[in-house]
Amino acid sequence: SQKIEQNSEALNIQEGKTATLTCNYTNYSPAYLQWYRQDPGRGPVFLLLIRENEKEKRKERLKVTFDTTLKQSLFHITASQPADSATYLCALALGGKLIFGQGTELSVKP
Amino acid sequence: SAVISQKPSRDICQRGTSLTIQCQVDSQVTMMFWYRQQPGQSLTLIATANQGSEATYESGFVIDKFPISRPNLTFSTLTVSNMSPEDSSIYLCSVYDRTRTSTDTQYFGPGTRLTVL
């Protein structure tokens, strides 16, 4: 079955630094991969989608890369801010449904 | 993007009782889903709510325990039946509209935090 793995340990970084989160998947390569942000007590919010033929996608301070050979996506937040503190989830589509990784909790300290 | 509301936002229930959670969307959508998020865990898909027909359940979830209704394209309910403490979770509904996107991007409601004593 398809599996998605994210850094299970929380990531703590200093404000202004770049946060890098990893998402690895097994078995088949999806046509696209998505990243969501989830704040405590809230539902996930869609951030970015990257397709298999795209190596990199950017949105403001966010950057996502997709390496289908390594079966890995990296999610970067540059010039991080305390407001970026949240759990970040990667997800891939399988048969019209989304399969989520377990998420990585990011904490940005001032 | 769609605006999704859920009721109740949280509840504390006694073992053996049932709770019905409502999900309302501000526009018609083709697909609606129900997820469970147990404490410290990621999201697990319970079922796809199908308009006008029975929901499609994922492995490990059954209709008797989680009956779902979807009477129209903007509304769905999930009932958690005969609850036990193991059902304590956040329950989330999500939607996407295949007429607007081909990429399965989903929009989530705020969730219902359920505690079973």
Side-chain angles (χ1 to χ4, degrees):
Chain A
S1 62
Q2 187 72 328
K3 288 186 180 178
I4 305 174
E5 293 180 354
Q6 296 184 248
N7 308 31
S8 57
E9 294 184 11
L11 180 63
N12 299 302
I13 64 168
Q14 206 65 33
E15 182 176 8
K17 301 292 186 183
T18 296
T20 298
L21 287 66
T22 305
C23 175
N24 296 293
Y25 59 92
T26 61
N27 298 340
Y28 91 106
S29 284
Y32 46 84
L33 189 144
Q34 306 182 29
W35 284 88
Y36 291 76
R37 167 181 173 148
Q38 186 174 26
D39 291 285
R42 304 244 177 142
V45 174
F46 171 74
L47 294 175
L48 277 171
L49 177 149
I50 186 164
R51 298 177 187 276
E52 61 178 341
N53 61 350
E54 298 174 318
K55 293 235 186 294
E56 182 180 295
K57 196 83 166 277
R58 290 176 186 261
K59 179 182 176 183
E60 298 173 352
R61 294 183 296 110
L62 308 180
K63 184 178 85 171
V64 173
T65 62
F66 194 10
D67 188 326
T68 55
T69 301
L70 294 177
K71 296 192 175 181
Q72 180 181 82
S73 176
L74 298 178
F75 178 82
H76 307 271
I77 305 175
T78 58
S80 60
Q81 305 167 0
D84 295 325
S85 298
T87 296
Y88 292 86
L89 303 159
C90 69
L92 56 84
L94 180 62
K97 298 173 286 193
L98 286 182
I99 300 174
F100 286 85
Q102 73 271 36
T104 298
E105 183 180 352
L106 171 67
S107 179
V108 181
K109 304 295 184 185
Chain B
S1 63
V3 177
I4 305 162
S5 60
Q6 285 186 235
K7 288 182 183 179
S9 57
R10 58 178 61 224
D11 207 340
I12 300 173
C13 301
Q14 295 297 318
R15 181 194 299 260
T17 62
S18 298
L19 176 72
T20 295
I21 302 168
Q22 298 180 4
C23 178
Q24 179 75 53
V25 191
D26 68 340
S27 60
Q28 294 185 345
V29 292
T30 51
M31 305 294 288
M32 294 181 78
F33 304 91
W34 286 97
Y35 288 84
R36 180 174 72 183
Q37 187 171 30
Q38 294 175 304
Q41 304 291 316
S42 189
L43 285 76
T44 301
L45 181 63
I46 297 173
T48 303
N50 300 309
Q51 194 263 328
S53 63
E54 193 171 285
T56 304
Y57 289 84
E58 297 301 305
S59 175
F61 297 96
V62 295
I63 187 170
D64 289 345
K65 176 66 176 178
F66 297 102
I68 289 171
S69 78
R70 189 172 174 198
N72 55 52
L73 293 176
T74 64
F75 185 78
S76 177
T77 66
L78 168 75
T79 298
V80 186
S81 303
N82 189 25
M83 288 184 284
S84 66
E86 291 71 36
D87 294 320
S88 297
S89 291
I90 298 173
Y91 292 87
L92 296 139
C93 74
S94 74
V95 306
Y96 80 83
D97 187 353
R98 280 192 169 150
T99 65
R100 299 180 194 176
T101 174
S102 61
T103 59
D104 303 324
T105 299
Q106 293 188 17
Y107 299 95
F108 286 83
T112 295
R113 182 180 293 274
L114 170 62
T115 302
V116 184
L117 303 177

